[in-house]
Amino acid sequence: MNVISDKLQVEGNRWIGTRTVRPDGADKVTGRAAYAADNTMPGMIWGKVLRSPHAHAVIRSVDTSKAEALPGVKAVVTARDIVDFPVDKSVMLGIQDMRWMCRNVMAREKALFHGHPIAAVAAINEEVAAEACRLIEVDYEVLPHVIEIEDAIRPDAPILHDFLKHEGKPSNIAGTMTAKLGDVEAGFAEADVIVERTFRTRPVHQGYIEPQACTVSYAADGRATIWSSSQGQFMVRAMTSLLTGVPQSNIKAIPAEIGGGFGAKTIIYLEPLALLLSKKSGRPVKMVMTREEVMRATGPTSGSFSTVRIGAKKDGTIVAAQGTFYIQAGCLPGGPLRGPVGCAFAPYEIPNVLSVGFDVVSNRSKVAAYRAPGAPLGAYAAECVLDEVAEKLGMDPLELRLKNSAKPGSKAAYGATFGKVTFEETVEAIRTHEHYKAPLERNPRPGVRRGRGVASGFWYNAGGESSAQVNITEDGNVLVTTGHPDVGGSRASIANVTAELLGIEHGRVSVQIGDTSSIGFSNLTGGSRVTFASAMVVTQSTEKVITQLRERAAKIWKIDPEAVTWENGEARPAGPNAGQFPPLTLKELAAKANEMGGPIGAGVQLNTQGADPGFATHVVDVEVDVDLGIVRVLRYTAAQDVGRALHPSYVEGQIQGGVVQGIGWALSEEYLYDRQGRLDNAGFLDYRMPVCSDVPMIEPVMLEIPNPKHPQGVRGVGEAPIVPPLAAIANAVYDALGKRFYSLPMSPPKVLEALEE
Amino acid sequence: MTDIRYLAPRSLEEAVSAFAAAQGAARILAGGTDLLVQMRNGVVKPGLIVDIKKIAEMTEIAETPEGGFRIGAAISGATLAEHPRFGKAWPGVLEAINLIGSKQVQGRASPGGNLCNGSPAGDSVPAMIAAGAVVTVQGPNGRRQMPVEAVPAGPGRTHLAPGEIVVSFTLPPRPAGSGDAYLRMIPRTEMDIAVVGCGVSLTLQGGTVTAARVGLGAVAPTVLLVEDAARALIGSRLEEEALEAAAAACRAACRPINDKRGTIAYRIKVAGVLLKRTAAIAAQRAGGN
């Protein structure tokens, strides 16, 4: 379903808003697309990582002599080879602190989780490399470990880092974040109804299909080339440079096709190790993680332990909201506090808000970004409490949301004063949707109960740095280069925009992703920013190209460039006064490019602004098998303000994908550890992501309310859809069973146990 | 670095002699859907792999003179599904084999491998036990037969003697009014491993159960034949009391563990639920309801 509110930006469009064939589609369905692990080079050798078998241990010594002596071994690296960033001085790259990154890619003083890299080996093949890893002798002093948040914040918990202090004492609380508005206690004093609940969620993995992989070739002249799969080749270059000491100008990072990232590939694990192994061995080095390594050692997102309290007046006016969010960081600081602290109450205009987050370290792999990092954790707690508030007030849960929705000029606790706010529209879209109004058969069969739930969500969205180059080829076609790995169909959207602006056939536009040496700096593919930002720089580049084309035509016709217009892929005299000339097509102008001034092309590099936030409201029907405790999702409808859907298929895909990940989070995904602190389900069999048959067709309702700050009206869409599902499903399960669950996942044993209480 | 020898003999004798000669350093390869995973995880490091798929008897489906079926141990679930009559006689056994893994896995995975892997959660095993299937085993000392339930010895272990290979499964003739079924509890809808699995085979005459067998998986170190559950059903007309008694017998037979796939309490409860649901399907297939 597609609701378009502003005809102005739609009428007359030939390509924008249409479902063109994606530029990378044929390669992907025929198996030709080259992912990171597909790269090979002459003389290439294989790198492997030795990982800690302990959850927490002092590394007394690492003896690599036997490994180095094994025939076929070409290089060994340890923490000594990685640039050390002392713990007392922060060095930031974006949101990543190099003090923690250098300790994450290779354990330094201590092994902090089961799977923490201890050393890396390069050898003539994978088997020899694996054998060499077994020959490395590590002297560990095993320490008591701590896994769960509630254990980690106890006064007697094993402390991971002596240098981290909270309230003056060594602590596993690495930092806090507060968002405040008004006086929350005064607000609660006015409330007629107050609901306070405590919630728990488990860490969940991004679950991308493609494991981390790279090939790095360090040449004799000190220049390195990196082929890897990431959400940002410039991030790969910068972080590898910082961790190895090789200057950025000497590193070329080439982005491979990416087999999913969902935030996780905004940091690196292997590239610095492979570079150092290549430097030592003089050979190109390839490293590919196994699925088990991915699960054990790459970031999931945080688990959480949260308390939310909301107070409202009898008429439904929310007067105060308070949230306390303990968020897992993994073994090193840096949990996504900004997600729950800033987003939990952001859809609502609430005069008094106090939202506090705590960053808690424990002996787990360091968390990485995951789609709207942290926001689902806050929304889960806040939106479940809102459901209870609505119930106590005897109000429809969507009416309660509408009554309190943020409006233009509303101030959010995280600091923003909203401009255009489109939250109400998402609530209204669900409230009036056939799904919400359809009768629900509550007991279709013996032992089966059904329920319906709703929830909303907010995500900041982002702009930031992007670069583009638009070149006209000698034969009059178009090549667009951007600096963003394409995780969600961004090339397809960019092709639509460029063909639209130039007024030419879609098939004449090729879109490619440049490496770090062929396009200007472009920030990560993340924050729901790429289509927003790259459409902006591509638009400006294309407009410059059109200006050049008009100038060339003017030169040929010997008239003023102002007297030339560009229409339907041709230069034409602007009016009868401009003179009588037959139109000049793009092909004709390209053929005359050199004689009329040289190659035609333009690039733009910008720090893009104006990415307004995203809002979403979802409704879900669930069915519970009360004898087995299994919850199945029967029907799901997700409404979201998408700004402008440049390519509707990939906007729908973003919404559907986010919802499915939310379903897994709510019902089945969790990290399980044994008593020694070892991950017990490091694979897709027992780490239960939903499979196709577990989920219904998710119906996206795209509300096309153009973002006035963007040339095509684009608004980021990738992250908001994972924010509401946790609470929407929990609320639906309550509706089915009359029992509220305050911890995720709502797995069958947990549901059955609760039903028997 | 270890070298692995690979043999693909054409005769059982050749396979048994190579397998026995390797003295435990060999592994049998049928579909390989467990073996290759275990090798990759470093759980097993065989010096010799004996691929038995080229031995005719091991991939045959034969209808016995008595009216039963003898199926080769190395046959894939997908091939078995293509047989025109097997699935009509033993729908429960067939659906159990074809619940294993994905479509791709079902094109390789075999009932013999599922049994010899020794997992208490193997899907085809409870259905085979319920069916009363008997395996033919060949070893250095010749052939012998044993009921399926006598094969598993514990997680990853069997009662096969050194050098013995499971050759085929023989399923008995089906009297009129018979039906079988298999259900498993998994958190997902597919691509998962049974938290509890239950196979039931029934024969009904005039609505009364005259024969019954119940196999229960993932609730004990081995897949179980639950005779008490069968006894509760035999002679009944599958009234609620009889089903509840059979469910109680299943629950009583459980000796499960707490693990990442389920808790003790959950598995015990679910064993009873599945018995009732599986029996209902088997009875419907038997035409007795």
Side-chain angles (χ1 to χ4, degrees):
Chain A
M1 184 170 156
N2 201 0
V3 181
I4 297 169
S5 71
D6 186 341
K7 295 273 185 232
L8 283 178
Q9 299 190 19
V10 177
E11 277 169 10
N13 278 346
R14 188 173 166 207
W15 302 112
I16 289 175
T18 66
R19 298 171 191 264
T20 50
V21 172
R22 64 191 290 165
D24 48 320
D27 275 355
K28 283 180 175 164
V29 300
T30 56
R32 280 187 173 81
Y35 294 89
D38 292 326
N39 191 57
T40 56
M41 287 186 76
M44 188 185 85
I45 58 174
W46 288 82
K48 282 259 180 222
V49 175
L50 172 70
R51 297 182 182 278
S52 170
H54 305 295
H56 196 192
V58 172
I59 303 167
R60 289 204 192 104
S61 66
V62 180
D63 182 351
T64 61
S65 55
K66 285 182 186 159
E68 285 170 73
L70 184 72
V73 172
K74 301 293 182 188
V76 179
V77 300
T78 65
R80 285 194 302 274
D81 300 291
I82 309 279
V83 175
D84 185 10
F85 290 85
V87 297
D88 53 2
K89 185 167 174 286
S90 175
V91 176
M92 299 302 290
L93 175 68
I95 60 166
Q96 300 300 336
D97 192 324
M98 290 304 116
R99 290 179 291 173
W100 318 137
M101 285 311 300
C102 81
R103 284 165 177 78
N104 196 44
V105 298
M106 198 66 95
R108 197 159 276 278
E109 301 83 5
K110 293 204 283 188
L112 296 167
F113 67 96
H114 168 235
H116 203 162
I118 305 294
V121 173
I124 52 167
N125 61 38
E126 286 180 277
E127 291 73 22
V128 175
E131 181 64 28
C133 285
R134 283 188 286 273
L135 293 173
I136 295 172
E137 289 169 355
V138 187
D139 184 10
Y140 294 104
E141 177 193 340
V142 177
L143 301 171
H145 67 273
V146 61
I147 298 290
E148 304 298 343
I149 294 175
E150 286 158 86
D151 298 328
I153 60 178
R154 291 210 314 228
D156 59 345
I159 297 295
L160 270 72
H161 307 290
D162 295 334
F163 52 84
L164 292 178
K165 304 262 193 318
H166 180 67
E167 294 174 345
K169 289 188 294 253
S171 170
N172 291 322
I173 295 177
T176 63
M177 177 184 275
T178 301
K180 192 169 181 288
L181 208 58
D183 176 346
V184 73
E185 283 313 321
F188 282 118
E190 291 176 41
D192 297 313
V193 168
I194 296 176
V195 176
E196 179 179 325
R197 298 286 179 238
T198 293
F199 300 83
R200 292 170 179 80
T201 70
R202 312 288 282 169
V204 293
H205 198 268
Q206 297 84 350
Y208 37 86
I209 293 174
E210 181 197 30
Q212 272 81 357
C214 69
T215 307
V216 180
S217 176
Y218 185 92
D221 62 0
R223 291 175 194 276
T225 307
I226 302 172
W227 291 263
S228 72
S229 160
S230 76
Q231 289 175 243
Q233 61 274 45
F234 292 91
M235 173 280 296
V236 170
R237 181 177 75 175
M239 216 176 272
T240 306
S241 169
L242 284 161
L243 295 174
T244 61
V246 177
Q248 287 191 19
S249 54
N250 275 12
I251 298 175
K252 175 153 100 174
I254 301 175
E257 282 296 338
I258 179 169
F262 310 105
K265 291 177 185 171
T266 56
I267 58 172
I268 53 174
Y269 299 89
L270 299 175
E271 287 86 339
L273 310 182
L275 186 144
L276 293 167
L277 288 168
S278 178
K279 186 178 177 181
K280 278 194 176 184
S281 65
R283 306 272 287 269
V285 173
K286 180 168 177 170
M287 301 181 82
V288 181
M289 281 200 200
T290 62
R291 180 68 57 197
E292 187 188 342
E293 287 180 293
V294 171
M295 299 300 292
R296 277 173 66 182
T298 69
T301 191
S302 314
S304 65
F305 169 56
S306 312
T307 300
V308 160
R309 184 182 182 210
I310 292 176
K313 294 194 167 202
K314 279 188 191 124
D315 68 353
T317 306
I318 299 173
V319 287
Q322 186 169 3
T324 308
F325 305 101
Y326 289 88
I327 301 298
Q328 273 163 348
C331 65
L332 291 157
L337 301 189
R338 180 175 171 263
V341 171
C343 299
F345 307 116
Y348 309 104
E349 186 172 270
I350 305 173
N352 306 292
V353 175
L354 179 60
S355 200
V356 184
F358 296 89
D359 192 26
V360 182
V361 296
S362 65
N363 295 110
R364 299 167 168 271
S365 58
K366 176 175 166 45
V367 300
Y370 182 18
R371 212 166 193 155
L377 306 174
Y380 167 54
E383 296 286 315
C384 284
V385 169
L386 272 184
D387 207 58
E388 287 197 56
V389 170
E391 189 183 22
K392 286 209 164 156
L393 292 168
M395 252 179 117
D396 176 279
L398 293 179
E399 296 291 349
L400 177 66
R401 285 167 173 83
L402 279 177
K403 185 168 181 68
N404 293 283
S405 78
K407 293 163 188 66
S410 294
K411 192 161 167 46
Y414 75 85
T417 300
F418 291 132
K420 190 167 181 173
V421 179
T422 50
F423 176 53
E424 279 184 18
E425 286 86 339
T426 69
V427 181
E428 201 56 51
I430 292 300
R431 203 174 65 90
T432 56
H433 194 281
E434 182 272 328
H435 180 172
Y436 194 62
K437 294 190 273 187
L440 186 68
E441 200 184 342
R442 296 197 156 268
N443 300 292
R445 299 182 299 282
V448 172
R449 289 188 222 148
R450 290 179 180 170
R452 178 170 292 161
V454 295
S456 296
F458 167 90
W459 180 248
Y460 304 102
N461 290 337
E465 307 94 322
S466 283
S467 302
Q469 176 73 31
V470 176
N471 288 337
I472 306 301
T473 56
E474 299 96 292
D475 61 357
N477 292 308
V478 186
L479 179 65
V480 183
T481 306
T482 73
H484 302 295
D486 177 357
V487 298
S490 57
R491 276 169 291 190
S493 297
I494 291 305
N496 282 2
V497 168
T498 312
E500 190 73 57
L501 293 172
L502 282 169
I504 59 172
E505 286 300 315
H506 176 266
R508 289 173 61 191
V509 180
S510 285
V511 186
Q512 67 158 9
I513 300 155
D515 62 51
T516 54
S517 301
S518 64
I519 187 70
F521 178 78
S522 299
N523 210 326
L524 292 163
T525 296
S528 299
R529 63 175 294 269
V530 162
T531 304
F532 170 86
S534 62
M536 198 177 266
V537 288
V538 167
T539 297
Q540 294 191 14
S541 304
T542 308
E543 284 168 350
K544 285 187 176 187
V545 166
I546 291 171
T547 300
Q548 290 175 19
L549 291 165
R550 287 171 46 229
E551 286 166 357
R552 299 300 169 89
K555 205 169 173 184
I556 292 167
W557 292 332
K558 299 189 174 60
I559 62 173
D560 191 276
E562 294 303 312
V564 179
T565 62
W566 186 262
E567 282 171 35
N568 294 324
E570 302 176 327
R572 292 175 185 171
N577 295 340
Q580 292 286 330
F581 304 103
L584 282 166
T585 65
L586 184 56
K587 277 188 195 300
E588 287 163 338
L589 288 166
K592 295 185 181 181
N594 270 353
E595 54 191 280
M596 290 295 146
I600 302 168
V604 166
Q605 297 174 278
L606 274 187
N607 182 9
T608 62
Q609 306 290 327
D612 277 2
F615 294 93
T617 299
H618 295 184
V619 57
V620 58
D621 294 351
V622 300
E623 176 174 291
V624 186
D625 179 330
V626 297
D627 294 316
L628 298 180
I630 297 175
V631 179
R632 301 262 185 248
V633 176
L634 290 182
R635 185 174 182 188
Y636 204 112
T637 306
Q640 189 172 330
D641 169 18
V642 304
R644 185 79 188 91
L646 297 179
H647 193 304
S649 298
Y650 303 119
V651 175
E652 290 164 353
Q654 289 289 338
I655 294 173
Q656 292 166 328
V659 169
V660 170
Q661 288 181 317
I663 291 172
W665 202 330
L667 295 179
S668 58
E669 295 180 38
E670 60 181 317
Y671 269 51
L672 303 169
Y673 284 84
D674 69 13
R675 284 173 188 206
Q676 283 74 43
R678 294 176 303 212
L679 185 60
D680 200 20
N681 59 336
F684 281 149
L685 178 58
D686 287 306
Y687 178 81
R688 292 191 160 85
M689 299 186 75
V691 297
C692 268
S693 52
D694 290 332
V695 294
M697 190 63 180
I698 312 294
E699 184 183 341
V701 179
M702 297 186 286
L703 304 173
E704 300 210 51
I705 307 162
N707 174 1
K709 299 172 191 163
H710 189 274
Q712 284 83 30
V714 168
R715 188 182 295 274
V717 295
E719 287 169 297
I722 201 174
V723 183
L726 283 55
I729 294 166
N731 292 337
V733 170
Y734 168 71
D735 188 48
L737 301 178
K739 205 158 188 76
R740 291 202 182 264
F741 287 81
Y742 297 106
S743 94
L744 300 182
M746 293 177 284
S747 59
K750 211 186 270 179
V751 171
L752 203 59
E753 196 182 327
L755 282 169
E756 284 180 342
E757 269 167 17
Chain B
M1 292 283 286
T2 45
D3 288 334
I4 303 171
R5 275 197 311 137
Y6 169 86
L7 279 184
R10 300 265 165 187
S11 76
L12 252 177
E13 293 66 28
E14 207 184 326
V16 167
S17 83
F19 187 44
Q23 296 187 330
R27 285 286 185 281
I28 298 294
L29 174 72
T33 58
D34 286 311
L35 178 64
L36 297 188
V37 175
Q38 289 162 4
M39 286 171 64
R40 200 178 158 138
N41 291 345
V43 177
V44 297
K45 290 177 183 167
L48 170 68
I49 289 173
V50 182
D51 184 346
I52 51 171
K53 288 192 293 295
K54 297 204 164 50
I55 302 165
E57 188 182 355
M58 303 216 50
T59 55
E60 266 172 12
I61 308 172
E63 288 170 72
T64 62
E66 305 78 40
F69 283 90
R70 193 178 63 245
I71 61 173
I75 200 163
S76 75
T79 308
L80 199 55
E82 286 169 5
H83 192 274
R85 287 174 298 282
F86 181 80
K88 291 195 176 73
W90 296 103
V93 171
L94 185 63
E95 69 200 2
I97 293 173
N98 282 321
L99 281 175
I100 299 170
S102 60
K103 277 270 176 267
Q104 292 90 331
V105 168
Q106 288 152 17
R108 305 296 288 180
S110 68
N114 201 219
L115 177 63
C116 294
N117 187 46
S119 165
D123 283 307
S124 70
V125 185
M128 285 287 194
I129 288 175
V134 169
V135 289
T136 298
V137 173
Q138 184 150 332
N141 300 321
R143 284 202 170 205
R144 63 173 177 136
Q145 294 203 309
M146 55 204 289
V148 169
E149 59 270 23
V151 177
R157 294 183 297 115
T158 68
H159 286 298
L160 296 175
E164 279 187 329
I165 298 173
V166 172
V167 178
S168 60
F169 292 79
T170 304
L171 289 86
R174 284 310 248 167
S178 297
D180 75 330
Y182 174 78
L183 287 179
R184 63 176 183 178
M185 189 282 154
I186 53 171
R188 282 187 286 228
T189 44
E190 60 178 336
M191 300 289 288
D192 216 330
I193 287 192
V195 177
V196 178
C198 181
V200 173
S201 175
L202 297 175
T203 303
L204 286 87
Q205 280 177 10
T208 300
V209 177
T210 56
R213 282 176 68 89
V214 175
L216 209 50
V219 294
T222 62
V223 181
L224 303 174
L225 169 67
V226 190
E227 290 175 308
D228 286 347
R231 270 193 285 276
L233 297 175
I234 292 168
S236 81
R237 302 178 68 82
L238 297 174
E239 306 85 348
E240 185 53 34
E241 307 82 76
L243 287 168
E244 186 43 57
C250 284
R251 289 194 292 266
C254 292
R255 287 172 283 126
I257 53 169
N258 279 322
D259 71 2
K260 58 194 171 190
R261 295 183 186 138
T263 60
I264 290 170
Y266 184 76
R267 286 185 154 116
I268 291 174
K269 171 107 201 283
V270 168
V273 174
L274 286 192
L275 178 280
K276 291 186 186 180
R277 292 186 184 183
T278 316
I281 299 169
Q284 195 183 17
R285 287 176 178 167
N289 276 3

